[in-house]
Structure formats: C-alpha cells, structure tokens
Amino acid sequence: MSARRIWAALQAYEQTHGSNDGTYWLWFELLWRDNFRMLHRQHGPQLYAARGLSNLPQPSHFPKDFQRWCSGQTGEPIVDAGMRELAATGFTSNRMRQIVASFLVHDLSCDWRAGAAWFESQLVDFDVYSNQGNWLYVSGRGTDPRQGRRFNPTKQTQDHDPQGRYQKVWL
Ligand SMILES: Cc1cc2nc3c(=O)[nH]c(=O)nc-3n(C[C@H](O)[C@H](O)[C@H](O)COP(=O)(O)OP(=O)(O)OC[C@H]3O[C@@H](n4cnc5c(N)ncnc54)[C@H](O)[C@@H]3O)c2cc1C
C-alpha cells in the first residue's frame, strides 16, 4: 500500500466524516516519512557519514555498553523493556524507538550508526530512509536545529507507562 493511496483514502474519509485528531496525525506522520525520503535525494551518502550533516565531533563508541543496549541489559527499565520487545518481535512503537535511540546516543555516548545498524538487523518494518533519518534526527546530526533530542527515561516512563504495565510485559 502506497503513501499516496493512504493520503487519498484519508481525504475521502474526511470529506464524508470530517477531520479529527487521528486523520491529522496520520497525515502528519506520512510527512515525516516523505521528509526522510527527500532528505536522501538531497544529501545522499552524506547522511551515512559519522557527522551526518552536522559539524559535531565524531561520535564516541563503547562496545560493551552497546552490547548491553542490544540485549536489553542497560539497567534502565524502560529502555531494557523496549530493546527486549524489539528483539522478541522485530517491532517497537515510535515512542520506544525514540527513547532507546536517545539513550544509546545521549546517555551511553555510543555511535548512532551502530544503533541504526542494529535496528536494521531487527526491525520487521525496516526502511532505510525512515531508519537513517530518524537516527540522524535523534542524534542531532540531521536537519533539526536543536542538535539532538535527549529523552529523559524517568519522565518518559511517568508520561507513558506510569503503572509499569509495558515494562512488566517485556522485563
Ligand atoms: C530511531 C527510529 C528508527 C525508525 N526506523 C524505522 C524504520 O526502519 N522503518 C519505518 O517504517 N519507520 C521507522 N521509524 C518510524 C516509526 O517509528 C515507524 O514508522 C512507526 O513506529 C510505525 O508505526 P505506525 O504504523 O503505528 O505509525 P503511525 O504513527 O500510525 O504513522 C503512520 C505512518 O506514518 C509513518 N511514520 C510515522 N512516524 C514516522 C517517523 N517518525 N518517521 C518516518 N515515518 C513515520 C509510517 O509510514 C507509519 O506507518 C523509526 C523511528 C525511529 C525513532
């Protein structure tokens, strides 16, 4: 199913039923998807360089920490739950992808490209444009002027899994 087809169906739906939060967000997320495709047309191989599009220093990397992250054994419960879900099912939500990616890059100070490669080996919905684009975005090496998106695991847990139900499933 193509993004165009979804967009056409969305428009038809809105003409009959009106727009709502759901139709808005579906359209908005499809823009992200297109954005990352366009970014590849514009910048090509530069998106795969260690610095990405930024002037930031080369990323550091700590292989043991990276291994702990891959196997869901960092000691940070929400991150470990997400990484174990990913390993067991090949999928995790967009929210969890952002949390675990941020943790690898901003808390463990590991190379974002190793994280992208791990996702590539695990995701059932792997898509080179969306994966690379999102990793660049989280690590602050894409086009985002904020130069990096750190997600605070404690706040994310309070906001999205306050009763620990998700963590209980995967830990
Ligand atoms: C680090 C990281 C890596 C990712 N790697 C991939 C990947 O390899 N393949 C992939 O398809 N998506 C990837 N995503 C984007 C996003 O997580 C998935 O598209 C989303 O989880 C799919 O769930 P959904 O179909 O319920 O999306 P919904 O939220 O219902 O959105 C509808 C559609 O919009 C698109 N979309 C939504 N969010 C994003 C986004 N952040 N970036 C690009 N497109 C988006 C997808 O096509 C999605 O199916 C990644 C996100 C992050 C943060």
Side-chain angles (χ1 to χ4, degrees):
M1 185 183 295
S2 72
R4 272 178 198 218
R5 192 167 168 193
I6 298 171
W7 167 233
L10 266 179
Q11 282 186 312
Y13 179 92
E14 285 185 338
Q15 270 164 21
T16 312
H17 304 282
S19 58
N20 59 40
D21 278 0
T23 59
Y24 170 80
W25 281 111
L26 186 48
W27 167 76
F28 186 85
E29 302 300 4
L30 288 172
L31 291 185
W32 274 112
R33 181 179 173 279
D34 271 4
N35 173 53
F36 292 134
R37 276 162 177 69
M38 298 298 175
L39 206 62
H40 273 74
R41 291 192 80 148
Q42 188 178 359
H43 297 287
Q46 189 61 34
L47 302 180
Y48 294 77
R51 290 197 168 96
L53 303 177
S54 75
N55 294 321
L56 294 172
Q58 295 269 342
S60 50
H61 194 61
F62 302 95
K64 283 189 182 151
D65 289 340
F66 178 65
Q67 279 312 322
R68 289 195 294 121
W69 179 81
C70 292
S71 57
Q73 291 176 313
T74 66
E76 180 59 61
I78 192 80
V79 172
D80 291 349
M83 294 307 291
R84 290 182 200 187
E85 181 191 15
L86 178 63
T89 67
F91 190 83
T92 191
S93 66
N94 186 52
R95 171 67 45 182
M96 284 310 306
R97 292 181 203 198
Q98 293 179 93
I99 293 171
V100 300
S102 161
F103 192 79
L104 181 72
V105 172
H106 300 297
D107 294 74
L108 298 179
S109 302
C110 285
D111 191 330
W112 64 281
R113 295 170 302 166
W118 181 252
F119 269 31
E120 175 172 356
S121 75
Q122 299 294 304
L123 281 174
V124 288
D125 68 348
F126 170 68
D127 171 278
V128 66
Y129 309 110
S130 293
N131 191 54
Q132 199 74 10
N134 274 290
W135 275 96
L136 279 163
Y137 180 79
V138 172
S139 64
R141 293 166 190 269
T143 51
D144 182 6
R146 267 175 56 177
Q147 294 211 329
R149 302 261 163 180
R150 180 176 184 270
F151 287 72
N152 179 333
T154 308
K155 183 174 185 309
Q156 292 294 319
T157 305
Q158 281 162 2
D159 290 350
H160 299 288
D161 192 32
Q163 288 159 351
R165 285 198 204 136
Y166 171 81
Q167 293 164 83
K168 210 169 168 187
V169 170
W170 296 109
L171 295 178

